[in-house]
Amino acid sequence: GSLVETKDEL
Amino acid sequence: MNIFRLGGDLAHLLAIIILLLKIWTTRSCAGISGKSQILFALTFTARYLDLFTNFVSVYNSVMKVVYLAAAYATLYLMYVKFKATYDHNHDTFRLEFLILPAAGLALIINHEFSIIEVMWTFSIYLEAVAILPQLFMVSKTGEAESITSHYLFALGSYRALYIVNWVYRYYSEGFYDMIATLAGVVQTVLYCDFFYLYITKVLKGKKLQLPA
């Protein structure tokens, strides 16, 4: 489930 | 958020500020590749399409707005306000050679085939190679002003710190993103030659000049 978590980066 | 990630963001912010201040105070964008700046503006426009749909934190939203505003402000200074100082004769890299492969790859290798996800992936691939016109320009003229070197060093450090952040996140959270990590490694590797010259020359007070 990296799809959502990675979006907290810039 | 860990210290490496924060360090990466701040290095990125520092790079953007160095570039804007350099152009503003010298009233000149000599030695800066407008092509690379176009690619960065495109990168952050494609990546931050989720600004209004995916709220993460105030920090996250503010940084996105700052990066976007700075990218377009840089383009304005280069292509409008100080257009006469733009060194376009040395900025000859063909943008389509980077944009088209990045777009094609994003359509093939992505986490999910949706508009927002493909655009995010495109931005990751494009950012990895966005500095090439700038490095090409430095190699063409054979030198870079110290301030341009500091800009490039801060910009290169940003993704290098993100890699450390990804290693840290993998061990502490079990989190990893193969697309971001591989592209980030490519992006950082492109700076290696420059890092070497920066450490061996610029930090010793010499101008960055490429060996003949």
Side-chain angles (χ1 to χ4, degrees):
Chain A
S2 66
L3 193 59
V4 176
E5 290 156 313
T6 191
K7 301 300 184 287
D8 66 5
E9 294 184 345
L10 292 162
Chain B
M1 176 74 87
N2 57 64
I3 191 74
F4 309 111
R5 157 73 201 287
L6 182 64
D9 288 349
L10 294 180
H12 191 188
L13 195 60
L14 180 67
I16 290 169
I17 292 170
I18 288 174
L19 183 63
L20 280 171
L21 275 182
K22 173 212 146 53
I23 297 174
W24 188 257
T25 55
T26 63
R27 323 298 284 174
S28 164
C29 54
I32 302 299
S33 166
K35 300 279 178 72
S36 279
Q37 297 308 315
I38 290 173
L39 294 180
F40 284 124
L42 201 56
T43 287
F44 295 111
T45 306
R47 186 170 312 164
Y48 301 152
L49 287 176
D50 67 353
L51 187 56
F52 300 102
T53 59
N54 176 34
F55 179 79
V56 178
S57 64
V58 172
Y59 169 84
N60 191 278
S61 298
V62 168
M63 291 297 260
K64 283 175 175 172
V65 171
V66 169
Y67 288 163
L68 279 169
Y72 284 97
T74 306
L75 285 186
Y76 168 75
L77 293 182
M78 292 196 72
Y79 287 97
V80 182
K81 196 162 176 64
F82 303 123
K83 191 184 193 330
T85 64
Y86 170 45
D87 196 4
H88 59 86
N89 289 331
H90 289 122
D91 195 16
T92 51
F93 204 98
R94 300 275 295 274
L95 287 187
E96 60 271 33
F97 290 167
L98 299 177
I99 295 174
L100 294 178
L105 201 59
L107 287 169
I108 302 164
I109 304 174
N110 52 56
H111 291 307
E112 184 188 277
F113 198 74
S114 65
I115 290 175
I116 205 138
E117 191 61 30
V118 170
M119 290 300 275
W120 177 85
T121 311
F122 167 64
S123 83
I124 293 291
Y125 295 150
L126 190 64
E127 187 193 344
V129 294
I131 200 60
L132 283 177
Q134 179 65 60
L135 296 176
F136 184 66
M137 194 171 179
V138 172
S139 73
K140 235 184 158 185
T141 57
E143 59 179 43
E145 287 178 62
S146 293
I147 190 76
T148 306
S149 306
H150 300 325
Y151 162 70
L152 282 169
F153 186 75
L155 197 60
S157 306
Y158 140 64
R159 225 45 177 173
L161 283 164
Y162 256 76
I163 293 175
V164 185
N165 153 63
W166 290 322
V167 172
Y168 180 87
R169 287 190 77 174
Y170 178 73
Y171 287 107
S172 66
E173 304 165 32
F175 162 83
Y176 71 96
D177 183 324
M178 212 34 100
I179 287 177
T181 305
L182 285 178
V185 168
V186 169
Q187 185 169 341
T188 304
V189 165
L190 292 181
Y191 286 85
C192 283
D193 186 40
F194 167 79
F195 282 154
Y196 174 77
L197 290 170
Y198 184 83
I199 290 164
T200 56
K201 292 195 171 175
V202 182
L203 289 186
K204 288 176 183 157
K206 291 185 227 160
K207 191 172 180 172
L208 191 139
Q209 256 174 325
L210 300 184

